[in-house]
Amino acid sequence: LMDKLSAGRPEGILSGQYISIDLSSWYKSSLAPKIEKIQQAIECHERIAFDYYGPKGEGHRKLEPYRLVFKWSSWYVWGFCVDKQDFRLFKLNRMSEIEQTGECFKVREYGVPEPPSAVFMKPKVCAKVLFEPEAKWRLIDDFGIDSFKEQPDGKLLFIFDFMDADNLFNWLLSFGSQAELLEPVELRRLFEENIRKMMEKYQ
């Protein structure tokens, strides 16, 4: 797998005659060098330094890398953050200027915990959304055919737990007028306010 993801190598993976797996992405040209550099650092137990861009802003981090993780359709590196003194998961697309520092580290005695989904994807917002019938294919594509209940008028009632309000709002906006947030009521009001601010930019 790592060989296939190397820069300049074919990205397709064939399994027998009937399965073809393509783990490349729009970011392959930038991801492959990152993966190679991080893999080298993991093998040598060498710290890496990089700039990171997240919801709370941007900053410079230093990491003891342990795992390259392909999860939730994206690549991550799992390791011990020197700045936060704790294990963290960093998304490769948000990392830039990755450098091997030349600083070696000892593998931590208590081992390397696996990054469980329950920790990083812990839901905090239970949303109830009413969708127009035209959105059915999107709901099936994103969450499966059992993710909604069809109403007598043909509309689709969708209930799901999201990580946070921003995650929910960004997803809803991609549906345009095909979605109506019903609950939570307080987030419905906040969503309405966000839409109003967007409209002001075009008036």
Short mmCIF file of all heavy atoms in Angstrom, two decimals, residues 37-83:
data_model
loop_
_atom_site.label_atom_id
_atom_site.label_comp_id
_atom_site.label_asym_id
_atom_site.label_seq_id
_atom_site.Cartn_x
_atom_site.Cartn_y
_atom_site.Cartn_z
N LYS A 37 7.47 11.24 3.75
CA LYS A 37 8.29 11.88 4.77
C LYS A 37 7.89 11.42 6.17
O LYS A 37 8.75 11.14 7.02
CB LYS A 37 8.15 13.41 4.65
CG LYS A 37 9.13 14.18 5.52
CD LYS A 37 9.09 15.67 5.20
CE LYS A 37 9.68 15.95 3.83
NZ LYS A 37 9.80 17.40 3.55
N ILE A 38 6.60 11.32 6.42
CA ILE A 38 6.12 10.88 7.74
C ILE A 38 6.47 9.41 7.97
O ILE A 38 6.85 9.01 9.07
CB ILE A 38 4.61 11.11 7.87
CG1 ILE A 38 4.29 12.61 7.85
CG2 ILE A 38 4.06 10.48 9.15
CD1 ILE A 38 2.81 12.93 7.76
N GLN A 39 6.35 8.59 6.92
CA GLN A 39 6.70 7.18 7.04
C GLN A 39 8.17 7.02 7.42
O GLN A 39 8.52 6.20 8.28
CB GLN A 39 6.42 6.45 5.72
CG GLN A 39 6.70 4.94 5.81
CD GLN A 39 6.60 4.26 4.46
OE1 GLN A 39 6.55 4.93 3.43
NE2 GLN A 39 6.58 2.95 4.45
N GLN A 40 9.04 7.81 6.81
CA GLN A 40 10.47 7.76 7.15
C GLN A 40 10.69 8.14 8.61
O GLN A 40 11.49 7.51 9.31
CB GLN A 40 11.24 8.70 6.23
CG GLN A 40 11.30 8.26 4.77
CD GLN A 40 11.93 9.31 3.87
OE1 GLN A 40 12.39 10.34 4.34
NE2 GLN A 40 11.91 9.04 2.57
N ALA A 41 9.97 9.17 9.05
CA ALA A 41 10.12 9.62 10.44
C ALA A 41 9.64 8.56 11.42
O ALA A 41 10.24 8.35 12.49
CB ALA A 41 9.36 10.93 10.65
N ILE A 42 8.56 7.87 11.08
CA ILE A 42 8.04 6.81 11.94
C ILE A 42 9.06 5.68 12.05
O ILE A 42 9.33 5.18 13.15
CB ILE A 42 6.70 6.27 11.39
CG1 ILE A 42 5.60 7.33 11.49
CG2 ILE A 42 6.28 5.00 12.15
CD1 ILE A 42 4.30 6.93 10.82
N GLU A 43 9.63 5.28 10.92
CA GLU A 43 10.58 4.18 10.92
C GLU A 43 11.84 4.53 11.70
O GLU A 43 12.45 3.66 12.34
CB GLU A 43 10.94 3.81 9.48
CG GLU A 43 9.79 3.20 8.70
CD GLU A 43 10.11 2.99 7.23
OE1 GLU A 43 11.17 3.51 6.78
OE2 GLU A 43 9.32 2.32 6.54
N CYS A 44 12.24 5.80 11.67
CA CYS A 44 13.47 6.24 12.35
C CYS A 44 13.21 6.76 13.76
O CYS A 44 14.16 7.18 14.44
CB CYS A 44 14.16 7.32 11.53
SG CYS A 44 14.67 6.81 9.88
N HIS A 45 11.93 6.78 14.20
CA HIS A 45 11.56 7.35 15.50
C HIS A 45 12.09 8.78 15.61
O HIS A 45 12.75 9.16 16.57
CB HIS A 45 12.09 6.50 16.65
CG HIS A 45 11.52 5.12 16.69
ND1 HIS A 45 12.11 4.09 17.37
CD2 HIS A 45 10.40 4.60 16.13
CE1 HIS A 45 11.38 3.00 17.23
NE2 HIS A 45 10.33 3.29 16.48
N GLU A 46 11.76 9.57 14.59
CA GLU A 46 12.23 10.94 14.52
C GLU A 46 11.07 11.91 14.57
O GLU A 46 10.04 11.70 13.93
CB GLU A 46 13.02 11.14 13.21
CG GLU A 46 13.62 12.52 13.05
CD GLU A 46 14.39 12.65 11.74
OE1 GLU A 46 14.60 11.61 11.08
OE2 GLU A 46 14.76 13.78 11.38
N ARG A 47 11.20 12.95 15.36
CA ARG A 47 10.15 13.96 15.46
C ARG A 47 10.02 14.75 14.16
O ARG A 47 11.00 14.95 13.44
CB ARG A 47 10.45 14.93 16.60
CG ARG A 47 10.28 14.35 17.99
CD ARG A 47 10.69 15.35 19.04
NE ARG A 47 10.43 14.85 20.39
CZ ARG A 47 10.83 15.46 21.50
NH1 ARG A 47 11.51 16.59 21.41
NH2 ARG A 47 10.55 14.94 22.68
N ILE A 48 8.78 15.17 13.89
CA ILE A 48 8.54 16.05 12.75
C ILE A 48 7.96 17.36 13.25
O ILE A 48 7.34 17.42 14.32
CB ILE A 48 7.57 15.41 11.72
CG1 ILE A 48 6.22 15.09 12.37
CG2 ILE A 48 8.19 14.17 11.10
CD1 ILE A 48 5.16 14.62 11.37
N ALA A 49 8.15 18.41 12.48
CA ALA A 49 7.58 19.73 12.79
C ALA A 49 6.79 20.18 11.57
O ALA A 49 7.15 19.87 10.43
CB ALA A 49 8.68 20.72 13.13
N PHE A 50 5.72 20.91 11.81
CA PHE A 50 4.87 21.33 10.69
C PHE A 50 3.95 22.47 11.12
O PHE A 50 3.73 22.71 12.31
CB PHE A 50 4.03 20.16 10.18
CG PHE A 50 3.22 19.47 11.25
CD1 PHE A 50 1.92 19.88 11.53
CD2 PHE A 50 3.76 18.42 11.97
CE1 PHE A 50 1.18 19.26 12.51
CE2 PHE A 50 3.03 17.78 12.97
CZ PHE A 50 1.74 18.20 13.23
N ASP A 51 3.42 23.16 10.11
CA ASP A 51 2.37 24.16 10.35
C ASP A 51 1.04 23.46 10.21
O ASP A 51 0.86 22.63 9.31
CB ASP A 51 2.47 25.30 9.33
CG ASP A 51 3.74 26.11 9.51
OD1 ASP A 51 4.22 26.22 10.65
OD2 ASP A 51 4.26 26.63 8.50
N TYR A 52 0.09 23.80 11.10
CA TYR A 52 -1.21 23.13 11.06
C TYR A 52 -2.33 24.15 11.06
O TYR A 52 -2.29 25.15 11.77
CB TYR A 52 -1.37 22.21 12.27
CG TYR A 52 -2.51 21.23 12.12
CD1 TYR A 52 -2.42 20.18 11.22
CD2 TYR A 52 -3.68 21.35 12.88
CE1 TYR A 52 -3.46 19.27 11.05
CE2 TYR A 52 -4.72 20.45 12.73
CZ TYR A 52 -4.60 19.42 11.82
OH TYR A 52 -5.64 18.52 11.66
N TYR A 53 -3.34 23.89 10.21
CA TYR A 53 -4.47 24.80 10.06
C TYR A 53 -5.74 24.08 10.49
O TYR A 53 -6.14 23.09 9.88
CB TYR A 53 -4.58 25.25 8.59
CG TYR A 53 -3.32 25.89 8.09
CD1 TYR A 53 -2.28 25.11 7.56
CD2 TYR A 53 -3.14 27.27 8.15
CE1 TYR A 53 -1.10 25.70 7.11
CE2 TYR A 53 -1.97 27.86 7.70
CZ TYR A 53 -0.96 27.07 7.19
OH TYR A 53 0.21 27.66 6.75
N GLY A 54 -6.38 24.56 11.56
CA GLY A 54 -7.58 23.92 12.08
C GLY A 54 -8.66 24.93 12.39
O GLY A 54 -8.48 26.15 12.21
N PRO A 55 -9.82 24.46 12.88
CA PRO A 55 -10.95 25.34 13.19
C PRO A 55 -10.61 26.41 14.22
O PRO A 55 -11.20 27.49 14.22
CB PRO A 55 -12.00 24.37 13.74
CG PRO A 55 -11.63 23.04 13.16
CD PRO A 55 -10.15 23.03 13.09
N LYS A 56 -9.64 26.13 15.09
CA LYS A 56 -9.28 27.08 16.14
C LYS A 56 -8.13 27.99 15.75
O LYS A 56 -7.60 28.72 16.58
CB LYS A 56 -8.94 26.33 17.42
CG LYS A 56 -10.13 25.54 18.00
CD LYS A 56 -9.75 24.86 19.30
CE LYS A 56 -10.94 24.08 19.87
NZ LYS A 56 -10.59 23.39 21.15
N GLY A 57 -7.73 27.92 14.48
CA GLY A 57 -6.64 28.77 14.03
C GLY A 57 -5.47 27.96 13.51
O GLY A 57 -5.58 26.76 13.31
N GLU A 58 -4.37 28.63 13.30
CA GLU A 58 -3.19 27.96 12.78
C GLU A 58 -2.03 28.09 13.76
O GLU A 58 -1.98 29.01 14.58
CB GLU A 58 -2.80 28.54 11.42
CG GLU A 58 -2.55 30.03 11.44
CD GLU A 58 -2.36 30.61 10.06
OE1 GLU A 58 -3.36 30.81 9.37
OE2 GLU A 58 -1.19 30.83 9.68
N GLY A 59 -1.09 27.15 13.67
CA GLY A 59 0.04 27.19 14.57
C GLY A 59 1.10 26.20 14.13
O GLY A 59 0.93 25.43 13.18
N HIS A 60 2.23 26.24 14.81
CA HIS A 60 3.35 25.35 14.51
C HIS A 60 3.36 24.23 15.54
O HIS A 60 3.24 24.48 16.74
CB HIS A 60 4.66 26.13 14.55
CG HIS A 60 5.83 25.38 13.99
ND1 HIS A 60 5.99 25.14 12.65
CD2 HIS A 60 6.90 24.80 14.62
CE1 HIS A 60 7.11 24.46 12.46
NE2 HIS A 60 7.66 24.24 13.63
N ARG A 61 3.49 22.99 15.07
CA ARG A 61 3.45 21.83 15.97
C ARG A 61 4.69 20.96 15.79
O ARG A 61 5.29 20.93 14.72
CB ARG A 61 2.20 20.98 15.70
CG ARG A 61 0.88 21.68 15.97
CD ARG A 61 0.68 21.96 17.44
NE ARG A 61 -0.65 22.51 17.69
CZ ARG A 61 -1.72 21.77 18.00
NH1 ARG A 61 -1.60 20.47 18.06
NH2 ARG A 61 -2.88 22.33 18.22
N LYS A 62 5.01 20.25 16.86
CA LYS A 62 6.07 19.25 16.81
C LYS A 62 5.46 17.93 17.28
O LYS A 62 4.78 17.88 18.30
CB LYS A 62 7.24 19.65 17.69
CG LYS A 62 8.47 18.77 17.55
CD LYS A 62 9.65 19.30 18.36
CE LYS A 62 10.24 20.52 17.68
NZ LYS A 62 11.50 20.96 18.37
N LEU A 63 5.72 16.86 16.52
CA LEU A 63 5.03 15.59 16.76
C LEU A 63 5.99 14.41 16.73
O LEU A 63 6.92 14.37 15.92
CB LEU A 63 3.95 15.38 15.69
CG LEU A 63 3.04 14.16 15.82
CD1 LEU A 63 2.02 14.36 16.93
CD2 LEU A 63 2.35 13.86 14.50
N GLU A 64 5.74 13.45 17.64
CA GLU A 64 6.40 12.15 17.59
C GLU A 64 5.44 11.21 16.86
O GLU A 64 4.47 10.74 17.44
CB GLU A 64 6.70 11.64 19.00
CG GLU A 64 7.63 12.55 19.78
CD GLU A 64 7.81 12.11 21.22
OE1 GLU A 64 7.17 11.10 21.62
OE2 GLU A 64 8.58 12.76 21.95
N PRO A 65 5.66 10.95 15.57
CA PRO A 65 4.69 10.18 14.78
C PRO A 65 4.75 8.68 15.04
O PRO A 65 5.84 8.11 15.14
CB PRO A 65 5.09 10.51 13.35
CG PRO A 65 6.56 10.75 13.42
CD PRO A 65 6.80 11.39 14.75
N TYR A 66 3.57 8.04 15.13
CA TYR A 66 3.50 6.60 15.36
C TYR A 66 2.73 5.85 14.28
O TYR A 66 3.05 4.72 13.97
CB TYR A 66 2.81 6.33 16.71
CG TYR A 66 3.68 6.59 17.91
CD1 TYR A 66 3.66 7.83 18.55
CD2 TYR A 66 4.50 5.60 18.43
CE1 TYR A 66 4.45 8.06 19.65
CE2 TYR A 66 5.29 5.83 19.54
CZ TYR A 66 5.26 7.07 20.16
OH TYR A 66 6.04 7.30 21.25
N ARG A 67 1.69 6.45 13.74
CA ARG A 67 0.85 5.76 12.78
C ARG A 67 0.42 6.70 11.65
O ARG A 67 0.14 7.87 11.88
CB ARG A 67 -0.45 5.24 13.44
CG ARG A 67 -0.26 4.21 14.52
CD ARG A 67 -0.09 2.81 13.94
NE ARG A 67 -0.26 1.81 14.97
CZ ARG A 67 0.68 1.44 15.83
NH1 ARG A 67 1.85 2.03 15.80
NH2 ARG A 67 0.45 0.50 16.74
N LEU A 68 0.35 6.16 10.44
CA LEU A 68 -0.36 6.81 9.35
C LEU A 68 -1.72 6.14 9.29
O LEU A 68 -1.81 4.91 9.26
CB LEU A 68 0.38 6.65 8.03
CG LEU A 68 1.51 7.66 7.78
CD1 LEU A 68 2.44 7.17 6.68
CD2 LEU A 68 0.95 9.03 7.44
N VAL A 69 -2.78 6.94 9.28
CA VAL A 69 -4.13 6.41 9.39
C VAL A 69 -4.98 6.88 8.22
O VAL A 69 -5.04 8.09 7.93
CB VAL A 69 -4.79 6.86 10.72
CG1 VAL A 69 -6.19 6.27 10.86
CG2 VAL A 69 -3.93 6.48 11.91
N PHE A 70 -5.63 5.93 7.54
CA PHE A 70 -6.62 6.30 6.52
C PHE A 70 -7.99 6.06 7.14
O PHE A 70 -8.38 4.93 7.38
CB PHE A 70 -6.46 5.45 5.26
CG PHE A 70 -7.39 5.87 4.15
CD1 PHE A 70 -7.13 7.00 3.39
CD2 PHE A 70 -8.53 5.13 3.86
CE1 PHE A 70 -7.99 7.40 2.38
CE2 PHE A 70 -9.40 5.52 2.85
CZ PHE A 70 -9.12 6.65 2.11
N LYS A 71 -8.70 7.15 7.44
CA LYS A 71 -9.97 7.05 8.16
C LYS A 71 -10.90 8.16 7.70
O LYS A 71 -10.46 9.27 7.42
CB LYS A 71 -9.70 7.17 9.66
CG LYS A 71 -10.74 6.56 10.56
CD LYS A 71 -10.23 6.57 12.00
CE LYS A 71 -11.17 5.84 12.93
NZ LYS A 71 -11.20 4.39 12.68
N TRP A 72 -12.19 7.82 7.60
CA TRP A 72 -13.20 8.80 7.21
C TRP A 72 -12.85 9.44 5.86
O TRP A 72 -13.00 10.64 5.65
CB TRP A 72 -13.36 9.89 8.28
CG TRP A 72 -13.48 9.35 9.66
CD1 TRP A 72 -14.37 8.39 10.10
CD2 TRP A 72 -12.68 9.69 10.80
NE1 TRP A 72 -14.16 8.13 11.43
CE2 TRP A 72 -13.13 8.90 11.89
CE3 TRP A 72 -11.63 10.57 11.01
CZ2 TRP A 72 -12.57 8.97 13.15
CZ3 TRP A 72 -11.07 10.63 12.28
CH2 TRP A 72 -11.54 9.85 13.33
N SER A 73 -12.31 8.64 4.95
CA SER A 73 -11.98 9.05 3.58
C SER A 73 -10.82 10.04 3.51
O SER A 73 -10.65 10.72 2.49
CB SER A 73 -13.21 9.66 2.88
OG SER A 73 -14.26 8.72 2.86
N SER A 74 -10.02 10.15 4.56
CA SER A 74 -8.89 11.08 4.56
C SER A 74 -7.69 10.44 5.25
O SER A 74 -7.83 9.48 6.01
CB SER A 74 -9.26 12.39 5.27
OG SER A 74 -10.30 13.06 4.60
N TRP A 75 -6.52 11.02 5.01
CA TRP A 75 -5.29 10.55 5.64
C TRP A 75 -4.95 11.40 6.87
O TRP A 75 -5.08 12.62 6.85
CB TRP A 75 -4.14 10.62 4.64
CG TRP A 75 -4.15 9.52 3.64
CD1 TRP A 75 -4.64 9.56 2.37
CD2 TRP A 75 -3.69 8.18 3.84
NE1 TRP A 75 -4.50 8.33 1.76
CE2 TRP A 75 -3.91 7.47 2.64
CE3 TRP A 75 -3.09 7.51 4.91
CZ2 TRP A 75 -3.56 6.13 2.49
CZ3 TRP A 75 -2.75 6.18 4.77
CH2 TRP A 75 -2.98 5.50 3.56
N TYR A 76 -4.50 10.71 7.93
CA TYR A 76 -4.12 11.35 9.18
C TYR A 76 -2.79 10.79 9.66
O TYR A 76 -2.38 9.70 9.26
CB TYR A 76 -5.17 11.11 10.26
CG TYR A 76 -6.55 11.64 9.96
CD1 TYR A 76 -7.43 10.93 9.14
CD2 TYR A 76 -6.99 12.85 10.49
CE1 TYR A 76 -8.70 11.40 8.86
CE2 TYR A 76 -8.27 13.33 10.22
CZ TYR A 76 -9.12 12.60 9.40
OH TYR A 76 -10.37 13.07 9.13
N VAL A 77 -2.14 11.52 10.55
CA VAL A 77 -1.00 10.98 11.28
C VAL A 77 -1.34 11.02 12.77
O VAL A 77 -1.88 12.00 13.27
CB VAL A 77 0.31 11.77 10.99
CG1 VAL A 77 0.17 13.24 11.34
CG2 VAL A 77 1.47 11.14 11.75
N TRP A 78 -1.07 9.91 13.44
CA TRP A 78 -1.39 9.74 14.85
C TRP A 78 -0.08 9.70 15.62
O TRP A 78 0.84 8.92 15.31
CB TRP A 78 -2.17 8.44 15.03
CG TRP A 78 -2.33 7.92 16.42
CD1 TRP A 78 -1.71 6.83 16.96
CD2 TRP A 78 -3.20 8.41 17.43
NE1 TRP A 78 -2.14 6.62 18.25
CE2 TRP A 78 -3.05 7.59 18.56
CE3 TRP A 78 -4.09 9.48 17.49
CZ2 TRP A 78 -3.76 7.80 19.74
CZ3 TRP A 78 -4.79 9.69 18.67
CH2 TRP A 78 -4.62 8.86 19.77
N GLY A 79 0.06 10.57 16.62
CA GLY A 79 1.30 10.58 17.37
C GLY A 79 1.21 11.42 18.63
O GLY A 79 0.14 11.92 18.99
N PHE A 80 2.35 11.56 19.30
CA PHE A 80 2.41 12.31 20.55
C PHE A 80 2.81 13.74 20.26
O PHE A 80 3.90 14.02 19.77
CB PHE A 80 3.42 11.66 21.50
CG PHE A 80 3.43 12.27 22.88
CD1 PHE A 80 2.49 11.88 23.83
CD2 PHE A 80 4.35 13.24 23.21
CE1 PHE A 80 2.49 12.44 25.09
CE2 PHE A 80 4.36 13.81 24.48
CZ PHE A 80 3.42 13.41 25.42
N CYS A 81 1.89 14.67 20.53
CA CYS A 81 2.13 16.09 20.30
C CYS A 81 3.00 16.65 21.42
O CYS A 81 2.59 16.63 22.59
CB CYS A 81 0.81 16.85 20.20
SG CYS A 81 1.01 18.63 19.90
N VAL A 82 4.18 17.13 21.07
CA VAL A 82 5.11 17.65 22.07
C VAL A 82 4.54 18.90 22.72
O VAL A 82 4.72 19.14 23.91
CB VAL A 82 6.48 17.95 21.42
CG1 VAL A 82 7.44 18.57 22.43
CG2 VAL A 82 7.07 16.68 20.83
N ASP A 83 3.83 19.71 21.94
CA ASP A 83 3.29 20.97 22.47
C ASP A 83 2.15 20.72 23.46
O ASP A 83 2.07 21.40 24.49
CB ASP A 83 2.78 21.83 21.30
CG ASP A 83 3.86 22.07 20.27
OD1 ASP A 83 4.70 22.95 20.49
OD2 ASP A 83 3.86 21.36 19.25
#
